[in-house]
């Protein structure tokens, strides 16, 4: 027994009615910004060599 498309649509309708489209759009924008910031910091961390962090700690 899985969730049918009709059940998902009803849940989506209830969420839109509770929060409104403006608040959901703002929430989606904030979430997208947080995810892109996280990805950017992860890629910056991978590009730094492990020896570079030891040099910064000594200063």
């Amino acid at each position: 027994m899985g969730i049918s498309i009709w059940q998902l649509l009803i849940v989506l309708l209830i969420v839109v009615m509770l929060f409104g489209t403006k608040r959901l759009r703002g929430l989606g924008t904030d979430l997208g910004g947080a995810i892109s910031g996280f990805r950017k910091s992860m890629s910056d961390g991978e590009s730094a060599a492990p020896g570079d962090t030891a040099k910064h700690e000594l200063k």
Side-chain angles (χ1 to χ4, degrees):
M1 298 239 332
I3 298 175
S4 71
I5 188 72
W6 292 111
Q7 291 170 336
L8 289 175
L9 288 174
I10 291 171
V11 170
L12 180 66
L13 179 67
I14 291 171
V15 168
V16 168
M17 287 175 61
L18 287 176
F19 295 109
T21 56
K22 261 189 179 177
R23 182 179 267 176
L24 288 177
R25 187 179 308 130
L27 182 66
T29 303
D30 292 342
L31 183 63
I35 290 172
S36 65
F38 178 74
R39 286 182 180 167
K40 182 179 178 187
S41 66
M42 291 299 290
S43 66
D44 289 346
E46 290 175 357
S47 65
D52 290 344
T53 56
K55 290 178 185 176
H56 292 295
E57 290 174 1
L58 293 175
K59 290 183 180 181

